[in-house]
Amino acid sequence: MRKIVAFVIAAACTFPTALAAQVVKFDVLERVPAFAGRSFGEVGPYERITARATIALDPADDRNAVIADIALARRNADGRVEATADVVILRPADPTHGNGTLLLEVPNRGRKLAPQLFDDSAQPGANRAEAADDAGIGFLHRQGFTMVWVGWQADIPSKPGQMALAAPVLKGVTGPVREEFVFDNTTSPARATLTWPAADPANLAVTVRAAWADPRRTPAKLAVRLVDPTTVEITRPEGFDAGALYEVTYTARDPALLGLSFAAVRDVASFLRHDRSSANPLLAGLNPQVNRAIGFGVSQSGRFLRDFLYLGFNEDTEGRVVFDGLMPHIAGTRRMATNLRFGQPGRNPRHPQDPAWQADLFPFTYASLSDPLTGRTDGLLRRCSLNATCPKVMQTDSEHEWWASHASLLVTDLQGNHLDLPDNVRAYMIAGTPHFAGPNDRMHAVPAMALPQNPMHSGAPMRALLSDLDSWIRDGVTPPASRVPMRAQGTLVPAEGAVPSNIPGLPYAARYTTAEFSDQSVLPPKEIGGYPVFVPRADTDGMAIAGVHLLALAVPRATYTGWNPRAAGYGPTAFYPLQGAVLPFAPTEAARKDANDPRPSIEARYADDAAYVAAVKREAARAVAERLLLEEDAARSIEAAKLGTLAKLGQ
């Protein structure tokens, strides 16, 4: 195996133009064949490059000045603020066989998720890219994408399997921090990890409540103590179940400059696209092997991309567009609590947690709107519109985001009226899906969930949509129209009555995560007001009418939802985080009548297995024609239908 270790490039003497691009050093630590030399059709084998990129930012540059506390950070001899990011690159070993598109995934908590989604890869191999099977079905590789990951999170350590950013720390700076914990067990005492080190144990406090809307309580047996600077132990009182909400407040110290994360992604992407020195590992001849770029992120990193765009980082320091296309996945209308002192980028408030956290601030959608609560006019595209650096945006969400991450605010104004998306934006809801499921998941019971866990994986439509986005950027081919619930179409409705209440075993209670605004400068925050939130309207089977329908939903054998209540004993007035539910149809009409189930049985829907497979073939052809499914995925789904595995109802 060929390996180059510690291939260090000195920026100042090797590539003098790099300073303007902000990357001042690019250290290649390892360069090896990927996937044990596996070849991917006409593209051939891939190479894996592991590196570290050092960026140096001018705090006076308006493009960097937006970074919170950058003026307080220590500077190098040139008066610049430095940070070092982990970088991993997968590229065709023969660069002439690539498709010219750089696909940069922002890691989720330091991990790579794109391989699971697009390639049906399994963890932990998806992070390693060593064995042949680590590439899964090899979709991205057969297409010839050059894949890049850049560590951005400065509040986690860099270690094997976890990419991160080493950023300056503001030593001696202190401030108030608030965190929430749901343990989903009854262990007492219970331990929890703080985002930041506590400065003073005397300022540590805890409250408890059964649900967010309840008043905070401090019963006599509730206590909290500091085990070490970032670990607390909470003694839990009687009378609260496993799903109770514990809120810990403390004075923290030594915040890292988290906002540098956006600059790290911007500058590494720009360097790989444009730098023509020998320092650039993507150089092929006189030019880089990529000429366009797509930014992709899942969940936390999808929210990162929405903030990246909003804060103006799609313009590099030479005024060029960084990403031609952005694909934030399962982000809803949330952003991030990152570009602020003592931010918490790893925190995503979930039902029943704070609906007014910094991740849930206005603006929610791409077009500029006037906010009645703050008096501001703003939108995610506002900054890039001022300098013509707006990308083409394809936002994809599971159905779960429309219940748990107020995704309706993508397509409504702040009074709840229908809102059209800008011409450069498309949005797609993948109906009947949980937040994220693996390619090999199957329906199964979980004690804390009221219903079996939804196993639906979004890989097939996501592969088609990524292809559509690449064609939109490369050839100007207009992608499919947005497929989301909309007020104007009657498919986006108030929660009351959105789902039938007469389906046995489907306990719909009109729950959803609200969108609130509060004053976060005080502890506890002071709630000021809220925004209207709507949910997908369901059909008589209990499944969302609008959106992109997987073939398992288009030709169903069960009801699939994007929500799943918590079970008794686990906070049953709230949703279980990130999950959906499955409720199979009765196999026969007799069983359906015995259960008083209004949903037609399998027997009534399909005369026999051949009729079921024929229905899957028809829907597959329709999805392919609409460019929402690739031919290869249609064939795989038809084969799964023949084997009886398409519905994923096996234990």
Side-chain angles (χ1 to χ4, degrees):
M1 179 179 289
R2 179 169 55 91
K3 184 180 290 187
I4 300 174
V5 180
F7 179 56
V8 179
I9 299 152
C13 60
T14 309
F15 51 111
T17 62
L19 194 60
Q22 308 290 315
V23 172
V24 295
K25 188 163 62 171
F26 198 89
D27 301 342
V28 173
L29 307 178
E30 183 181 64
R31 197 168 195 156
V32 297
F35 309 115
R38 175 179 168 182
S39 186
F40 300 93
E42 295 180 356
V43 177
Y46 264 69
E47 178 181 50
R48 189 186 76 232
I49 300 169
T50 304
R52 290 196 184 97
T54 300
I55 62 171
L57 307 181
D58 178 3
D61 189 319
D62 288 343
R63 302 173 185 93
N64 300 325
V66 69
I67 297 170
D69 285 336
I70 192 170
L72 302 181
R74 67 178 182 273
R75 304 186 186 190
N76 65 16
D78 296 317
R80 301 200 171 212
V81 177
E82 291 190 4
T84 302
D86 295 330
V87 180
V88 172
I89 300 170
L90 289 174
R91 64 167 230 173
D94 183 344
T96 65
H97 290 180
N99 68 1
T101 300
L102 184 152
L103 179 65
L104 188 151
E105 182 191 10
V106 179
N108 178 299
R109 292 167 174 80
R111 304 163 301 165
K112 306 168 187 173
L113 295 184
Q116 290 186 71
L117 191 61
F118 294 116
D119 293 321
D120 290 0
S121 301
Q123 289 286 22
N127 261 303
R128 294 195 297 256
E130 293 175 351
D133 288 346
D134 291 347
I137 62 173
F139 169 76
L140 294 173
H141 317 84
R142 286 184 282 111
Q143 302 304 308
F145 284 103
T146 294
M147 292 157 269
V148 176
W149 291 266
V150 180
W152 62 273
Q153 216 173 321
D155 63 326
I156 61 174
S158 174
K159 61 183 182 181
Q162 181 169 285
M163 302 176 67
L165 179 75
V169 172
L170 304 180
K171 290 290 187 180
V173 172
T174 62
V177 174
R178 178 175 66 97
E179 305 201 39
E180 293 174 329
F181 303 99
V182 177
F183 295 104
D184 280 334
N185 60 49
T186 55
T187 301
S188 184
R191 291 195 173 188
T193 301
L194 303 177
T195 304
W196 301 103
D200 184 357
N203 290 331
L204 188 66
V206 64
T207 65
V208 64
R209 46 192 158 158
W212 170 260
D214 295 344
R216 294 170 173 84
R217 295 179 56 186
T218 55
K221 293 185 179 180
L222 176 67
V224 61
R225 74 177 185 90
L226 203 62
V227 177
D228 59 49
T230 58
T231 306
V232 293
E233 187 176 81
I234 299 172
T235 302
R236 302 164 70 180
E238 297 177 357
F240 292 89
D241 71 10
L245 179 63
Y246 293 84
E247 183 178 71
V248 174
T249 56
Y250 61 103
T251 299
R253 60 175 170 82
D254 303 340
L257 219 63
L258 298 181
L260 289 177
S261 59
F262 301 107
V265 170
R266 174 196 67 191
D267 295 341
V268 172
S270 183
F271 167 74
L272 293 173
R273 286 192 68 176
H274 300 296
D275 191 85
R276 288 177 169 79
S277 76
S278 60
N280 186 353
L282 298 188
L283 199 68
L286 298 177
N287 297 297
Q289 70 186 66
V290 293
N291 48 46
R292 55 189 170 272
I294 294 173
F296 174 74
V298 177
S299 187
Q300 178 204 38
S301 43
R303 295 185 285 117
F304 175 99
L305 288 179
R306 284 168 52 86
D307 252 2
F308 180 92
L309 178 61
Y310 172 64
L311 294 170
F313 284 95
N314 206 46
E315 177 192 17
D316 73 9
T317 53
E318 295 186 26
R320 299 170 299 203
V321 171
V322 177
F323 294 114
D324 305 284
L326 286 182
M327 198 175 197
H329 182 55
I330 54 177
T333 57
R334 287 182 158 155
R335 295 191 287 111
M336 298 199 78
T338 297
N339 192 36
L340 67 161
R341 187 178 297 178
F342 294 113
Q344 296 178 44
R347 179 177 171 190
N348 181 20
R350 302 165 181 170
H351 207 250
Q353 295 172 283
D354 184 358
W357 178 241
Q358 288 102 323
D360 296 285
L361 295 178
F362 170 82
F364 303 103
T365 192
Y366 295 90
S368 289
L369 300 174
S370 294
D371 180 11
L373 297 181
T374 64
R376 295 169 51 218
T377 297
D378 213 343
L380 298 184
L381 295 177
R382 183 171 177 268
R383 285 173 175 80
C384 68
S385 297
L386 296 175
N387 53 30
T389 58
C390 290
K392 292 176 170 61
V393 179
M394 187 176 278
Q395 177 159 334
T396 54
D397 284 300
S398 75
E399 186 187 325
H400 181 78
E401 272 54 64
W402 292 75
W403 297 92
S405 298
H406 37 71
S408 66
L409 288 165
L410 270 179
V411 290
T412 68
D413 63 21
L414 299 179
Q415 288 74 41
N417 303 309
H418 172 85
L419 180 70
D420 288 325
L421 291 167
D423 290 342
N424 65 318
V425 179
R426 297 290 187 276
Y428 305 91
M429 179 187 82
I430 304 176
T433 53
H435 184 69
F436 192 86
N440 299 315
D441 288 358
R442 293 290 183 270
M443 180 187 78
H444 65 281
V446 176
M449 299 181 201
L451 296 171
Q453 183 173 324
N454 187 333
M456 281 297 136
H457 175 60
S458 298
M462 289 299 294
R463 287 187 279 272
L465 291 170
L466 177 62
S467 300
D468 292 333
L469 178 57
D470 194 39
S471 295
W472 193 14
I473 295 166
R474 183 183 63 246
D475 302 319
V477 178
T478 304
S482 294
R483 295 289 188 94
V484 295
M486 293 186 181
R487 297 287 286 154
Q489 297 174 354
T491 53
L492 188 62
V493 297
E496 291 294 335
V499 178
S501 59
N502 62 341
I503 299 175
L506 193 69
Y508 181 70
R511 298 188 184 104
Y512 61 95
T513 299
T514 59
E516 310 293 338
F517 176 68
S518 65
D519 180 359
Q520 296 279 338
S521 68
V522 295
L523 291 180
K526 179 182 178 182
E527 293 187 35
I528 295 172
Y531 307 94
V533 173
F534 301 92
V535 300
R537 182 182 178 184
D539 61 17
T540 55
D541 286 333
M543 290 191 284
I545 295 169
V548 177
H549 285 71
L550 301 167
L551 293 181
L553 276 77
V555 189
R557 301 178 77 91
T559 293
Y560 300 89
T561 74
W563 50 272
N564 196 333
R566 285 176 169 272
Y570 292 87
T573 62
F575 283 145
Y576 193 85
L578 310 181
Q579 301 301 326
V582 184
L583 190 65
F585 297 151
T588 65
E589 278 297 284
R592 180 191 72 78
K593 291 175 181 177
D594 287 345
N596 198 28
D597 191 339
R599 303 172 300 161
S601 66
I602 299 292
E603 179 183 69
R605 292 170 191 262
Y606 316 110
D608 52 27
D609 289 345
Y612 168 67
V613 173
V616 172
K617 288 181 178 178
R618 287 193 299 272
E619 289 301 322
R622 184 201 308 271
V624 169
E626 294 175 342
R627 296 168 55 213
L628 298 171
L629 188 69
L630 300 177
E631 290 277 6
E632 64 177 86
D633 280 311
R636 271 192 287 266
S637 297
I638 292 167
E639 185 62 25
K642 292 176 181 177
L643 296 173
T645 60
L646 181 64
K648 292 192 169 186
L649 301 179
Q651 296 295 328

